[in-house]
Amino acid sequence: MPRSDAGGGVSQVPVPRLARAIVVVVLAGLTSVYLLAGSPLAIVAFGLQLVYVLRSLRRFRRPWLLILQALVGYAATLGFGTSVGLLGFLGGSLLLTPAWPLAPLVAVSAAVVGPADPAISMVLVALVVYGLTRLTDRVEEMHAARLAMALAAAAEERLRIATGLSDGLGRGLTAIATGVRSVMDRPEGSVEILGEVVGTARGFLADARNAAAGYRATSLVPEMTTARAMLTAAAIKAETRVGHSEPLGPAGALLASVLREVVTEAVRQNTARTCVIETTTADGMVRLRVSHDGARTVEDEGLADLARQLSQAGGRLTTGLSAEGWLAVDAVLPESPAEATEDPGAYRLSVALLTAVLVGFSIKALLFVPANLVVPAAACLAVIVIMQIRWISGRHMGALALLVLLAYLPIPVFGRAWLGSAGFLAGPVLLAFPWAVAWPLVGCVMASVAVSAVLLGLPLPLTVNFTASTLVTGLVVYGLLELARLVKELQEVRQALARSAVVEERLRAARDLHDLLGHSMAAILLKCELARRLDPARARAELEDVLVMAEKAEADLRVVSGGRPAMSLAEEGESARSVLAAADIEVELDFAHEELSPEVENVLGTVLREAVTNVLRHSSARYCLITTVVEESVVRLRVRNDGVRSSGGRPGSAGIGNLTTRLAVLDGGLGTVREDGWFELTAQVPSFSPVG
C-alpha cells in the first residue's frame, strides 16, 4: 500500500491515489470484522461502498445504489443476525448524498434492533465512511486546483501591477508626450516647457527604477544571480547555495542590500579569487553568509548603515574571519510571516471527525467499565484522545511511549474494557515508522491484545474480535490522521505555489521595467536634454524622435503590465544607433543574422537595450560596435565600446542578472570582457529557441 514516510513527506505515489488507497484499506479493515463474525454479505457491502471511493466507479452513483445497500444491510442484520454495525456503510453513503436526512433513521433502527455497543459502532462506521470519503474528495479537488490557484494568484497580481503602473507611470508618459507636442506647436515657450518635460522624464525614470526595485524586494534569488554575474565578470569564481524559501518579503529586501554591498566592495577591491554566497533558515530566522578570500577587513559605511537597519528589524550583521581565513559577512533576520489565505474548512472537518470517532470509541469502552471506575477510565481515555488529536501536527517518541503505558498499564484495573485502547496505539505506530518497522510493531500490539484476552479468560470468539478490532481501530485512526495531514499539506502546497506565482510575476514586472521601460525613458531623457541645446529646427527633429519613443514606451508599459513583447532586433539596432549618436558616440552596426524566432528577437532586443543603457550610464565611450553573427544555429550579439571607466566605479547592475535569467530560459548565456579600456558584452542563444 502507498504511504507517506515517517517524516511526513509523500512517496512517489500521487497524493489523490494515496488518499484513495488509505480509504480502501480502512474500509477493508472494517469489513473484516463482520467477515470474521460470519457474515459473507459484508463483502457485498464493501464492494458497493467502493463506488463512492474509486473514480472509475463513480458513474454508478445512482439512487438505486442506496436501495441496494439498504437491502444488503438489513438482509444481513435482520436475516442472518449480523451486527447492526454493518448498517454504518449505508448510513455513511446516505450522508454523502442529498438523502442524508435518512441517515439518523438508520441509526435509530440500529438502536432498536441491536444493543448499545453495536449501535454505537454503526454510528462510528457511518462517520468514518463519510469522513474518509469526503476528505478524499477534498484532497482530489485541492490537488487538481493547486495550479489553477497559482495561475489565479499570478493573474490577480498582474492586474494589480497593471493598475498601479497605469495610474502612475502611464500618466507620466502622457504628460511627456503632451509637453513635447506643446513645444512643437508653440516654439516660443520651448525652453520652459522642455525643462518641465525633462523634469517629468527624470522623475518617471526614477519611479520606474523604484518600482522595479520594489518588485524585486520580495525575492533574494535574483540578487544572488546578479551578484554571481558581477563576480564572474570580474574574474572571481562564484558559488551560490540557496537554502531558503521564497518569497522573503521585507527580509529579502534587506538581505539583498547586504549582498549587493558586499559583492560590490569585493569587485571594487579586486583582491578576491573565490566568493561563496549561501542562505539557510532555522528557528524562524533566515541567514545570508557571503565569504571570500580577498581583503581581510571591511571598512564600508554602507555596511554600517545596513547593520543598523538589520538591528532595527530584529536581526544582526557581523563580519569576521572564517575557519579558512576568509572574510565572512553574516546577516540574520526573522523570516517574514506568510499570509494565511487558505480556507481551513477541510482541515477542521478532518479534526472534527477524528474527535467524534475517538470519543465514540471511548464511549464504547466505558460501557464495559464498572461504575466505580468510570471516572478514572474516562480521564485516561481523555488523555489518549487529546494526544491523538495533537498527533496531526507532529509525531514524538515521548508521546508514543506515554501511549504505550496508557494502553497496557490500566488493563489489570479495567479488564476487558481496556483491550480496545490498544487500537489507539496501533494508529500512531503506523504513522510514526516506515512500513517495514510499523507493520511488525502493529503485529506485536495485536499479539499482546490476544495474550491479554487469554489471560483475562475471554472466550476464543471474543479474543479474535478484540485482536481484529485493534487493527481496525488503528487503521481508522491512521486513516483520519493521515488524511488530515494530507489536507493540511496540500493547503500549504497551494499557498506556496500561489506565493511563488506572485513572486514570479513581480520579478517579471521588475525585469521588464528595468530592461524595457527603463531604456525607453533613459533614451527620452537624453533626447530631451539634447533638444534643449539645439536650435529650433534641429530640436524639432529630436522631439519627433521623442514622440516615437514615447509611443514605444507606452507599448513597453503594456508589456510590463502583462502583454506579450514583440521586438525586432533590427529596429532595436537602429534605435540604439540614434540614441548613441545623440550622445556623440560613433556607432558601427553590423547585423549578419537572418530570420530568428520571435522569442530570440525579443530576448536579444532586450539585451541590446540594456547594453546601450549601460554604455550611456556607466561609460565614457566615443565608439560602439554592435554586431551579430550566426554560427552552427547559435546567434551571438556583441556590443563593444571603448569607454571603460576606472575600477573605482560601481560595477554591474540589476540588468545583468535580468539578462542572465532571460537568456537562461532559452538555453542561452551572457558573457563580459574588460581589457585595455574596452568593454564587450556577448549574448548567445540558439537561433530558434522555443519558449522554456
Side-chain angles (χ1 to χ4, degrees):
M1 170 186 163
R3 65 156 294 167
S4 62
D5 59 31
V10 176
S11 68
Q12 299 300 321
V13 180
V15 172
R17 192 184 304 171
L18 172 62
R20 287 194 296 271
I22 291 172
V23 177
V24 171
V25 171
V26 173
L27 294 180
L30 290 171
T31 303
S32 67
V33 174
Y34 302 103
L35 279 175
L36 290 173
S39 176
L41 284 177
I43 295 180
V44 180
F46 171 72
L48 295 175
Q49 197 62 53
L50 292 181
V51 175
Y52 294 92
V53 178
L54 302 180
R55 293 175 60 88
S56 58
L57 300 178
R58 288 183 181 180
R59 63 182 181 277
F60 298 114
R61 287 189 182 183
R62 297 290 186 271
W64 58 262
L65 181 62
L66 290 173
I67 297 174
L68 186 57
Q69 283 185 290
L71 291 175
V72 171
Y74 283 107
T77 56
L78 298 178
F80 297 96
T82 304
S83 168
V84 293
L86 186 63
L87 293 174
F89 287 106
L90 173 61
S93 297
L94 287 169
L95 291 174
L96 292 168
T97 68
W100 63 266
L102 296 177
L105 297 180
V106 176
V108 170
S109 69
V112 171
V113 174
D117 182 23
I120 294 175
S121 294
M122 177 268 154
V123 175
L124 293 179
V125 171
L127 289 176
V128 169
V129 168
Y130 168 75
L132 292 180
T133 307
R134 282 293 298 121
L135 287 173
T136 302
D137 291 342
R138 185 60 178 145
V139 165
E140 286 188 348
E141 292 168 5
M142 293 174 67
H143 187 265
R146 68 195 191 285
L147 295 180
M149 181 178 179
L151 292 174
E156 183 178 348
E157 183 64 16
R158 189 178 302 120
L159 179 61
R160 191 191 67 79
I161 290 172
T163 302
L165 294 178
S166 178
D167 291 345
L169 302 183
R171 286 201 301 267
L173 273 175
T174 302
I176 291 172
T178 302
V180 169
R181 291 191 181 95
S182 298
V183 172
M184 297 175 69
D185 293 340
R186 293 184 288 110
E188 61 275 5
S190 62
V191 176
E192 292 78 8
I193 297 176
L194 269 179
E196 294 177 2
V197 171
V198 167
T200 301
R202 188 172 288 113
F204 184 100
L205 182 58
D207 290 344
R209 289 172 178 164
N210 289 336
Y215 293 141
R216 285 169 58 87
T218 60
S219 179
L220 182 58
V221 171
E223 196 63 44
M224 296 176 73
T225 303
T226 301
R228 186 184 185 94
M230 290 172 59
L231 292 165
T232 302
I236 300 174
K237 181 182 178 182
E239 297 180 19
T240 55
R241 304 163 188 166
V242 180
H244 70 277
S245 300
E246 298 286 1
L248 290 175
L254 269 177
L255 293 177
S257 299
V258 172
L259 176 59
R260 191 180 309 118
E261 195 68 35
V262 176
V263 170
T264 298
E265 184 66 13
V267 173
R268 186 188 68 80
Q269 292 182 1
N270 199 28
T271 58
R273 290 295 169 264
T274 303
C275 181
V276 178
I277 304 167
E278 57 186 328
T279 60
T280 56
T281 55
D283 301 324
M285 306 291 284
V286 58
R287 177 192 183 195
L288 167 70
R289 181 180 177 87
V290 186
S291 56
H292 61 77
D293 59 355
R296 296 296 186 266
T297 59
V298 175
E299 295 180 2
D300 192 333
E301 293 183 2
L303 275 184
D305 182 58
L306 286 170
R308 288 190 291 271
Q309 294 183 47
L310 263 71
S311 178
Q312 293 172 358
R316 65 181 183 279
L317 188 147
T318 58
T319 60
L321 295 179
S322 68
E324 297 82 9
W326 289 20
L327 177 67
V329 178
D330 285 285
V332 181
L333 274 173
E335 289 186 90
S336 301
E339 296 180 2
T341 57
E342 183 66 47
D343 178 10
Y347 181 68
R348 289 175 179 170
L349 170 64
S350 65
V351 176
L353 286 170
L354 174 62
T355 304
V357 170
L358 292 173
V359 170
F361 278 128
S362 300
I363 292 174
K364 285 186 60 177
L366 292 175
L367 292 176
F368 299 97
V369 174
N372 61 321
L373 296 176
V374 167
V375 173
C380 290
L381 288 170
V383 173
I384 292 176
V385 169
I386 292 172
M387 292 180 66
Q388 297 286 331
I389 296 172
R390 287 179 58 84
W391 228 291
I392 295 173
S393 59
R395 304 161 191 162
H396 311 287
M397 294 301 102
L400 193 61
L402 180 57
L403 276 178
V404 172
L405 297 177
L406 289 172
Y408 291 110
L409 290 182
I411 291 178
V413 178
F414 301 123
R416 59 165 285 189
W418 208 254
L419 291 180
S421 63
F424 294 144
L425 174 62
V429 165
L430 290 172
L431 284 166
F433 299 101
W435 278 148
V437 177
W439 280 113
L441 288 177
V442 170
C444 292
V445 172
M446 295 173 64
S448 68
V449 171
V451 171
S452 299
V454 171
L455 293 177
L456 291 173
L458 300 183
L460 180 61
L462 203 54
T463 298
V464 172
N465 181 273
F466 272 116
T467 303
S469 296
T470 298
L471 175 61
V472 173
T473 303
L475 287 174
V476 169
V477 171
Y478 166 79
L480 289 170
L481 286 167
E482 184 69 355
L483 286 180
R485 188 193 64 78
L486 286 177
V487 168
K488 189 173 185 179
E489 183 179 272
L490 280 174
Q491 289 177 349
E492 293 171 351
V493 168
R494 290 179 67 186
Q495 291 178 21
L497 284 173
R499 289 195 298 270
S500 296
V502 169
V503 169
E504 286 299 320
E505 188 59 31
R506 291 175 182 173
L507 294 179
R508 179 204 61 78
R511 286 194 297 269
D512 289 343
L513 273 171
H514 182 280
D515 299 344
L516 304 180
L517 207 56
H519 169 85
S520 298
M521 288 314 304
I524 288 174
L525 183 58
L526 177 63
K527 288 282 188 178
C528 288
E529 291 280 13
L530 179 61
R532 294 177 68 184
R533 301 195 301 266
L534 298 177
D535 59 78
R538 295 174 61 192
R540 185 178 183 85
E542 298 296 336
L543 293 177
E544 288 176 350
D545 285 347
V546 169
L547 288 177
V548 173
M549 291 176 178
E551 292 180 359
K552 190 175 183 180
E554 289 178 351
D556 292 339
L557 185 58
R558 288 192 292 272
V559 171
V560 175
S561 299
R564 185 174 179 83
M567 288 188 180
S568 165
L569 186 55
E571 291 179 4
E572 291 300 325
E574 291 302 325
S575 175
R577 186 203 300 272
S578 173
V579 172
L580 292 172
D584 294 326
I585 299 175
E586 181 184 351
V587 181
E588 183 178 345
L589 198 62
D590 182 13
F591 282 172
H593 68 272
E594 296 181 354
E595 182 183 2
L596 300 175
S597 68
E599 293 78 21
V600 174
E601 290 267 1
N602 284 331
V603 74
L604 291 183
T606 303
V607 170
L608 182 54
R609 284 192 181 191
E610 176 63 20
V612 170
T613 300
N614 286 339
V615 169
L616 294 173
R617 293 180 60 197
H618 303 301
S619 79
S620 55
R622 299 270 60 86
Y623 174 79
C624 183
L625 173 65
I626 304 172
T627 64
T628 62
V629 63
V630 179
E631 298 174 348
E632 299 179 352
S633 298
V634 174
V635 59
R636 291 181 177 84
L637 168 68
R638 291 188 177 91
V639 182
R640 180 177 173 85
N641 74 85
D642 62 352
V644 172
R645 293 174 179 170
S646 65
S647 60
R650 185 180 181 87
S653 69
I656 295 296
N658 292 347
L659 298 181
T660 301
T661 301
R662 291 178 185 274
L663 288 164
V665 171
L666 301 182
D667 296 327
L670 187 72
T672 58
V673 177
R674 182 187 307 207
E675 59 182 4
D676 300 329
W678 288 79
F679 180 82
E680 180 178 297
L681 180 145
T682 302
Q684 66 178 36
V685 65
S687 55
F688 283 90
S689 295
V691 176

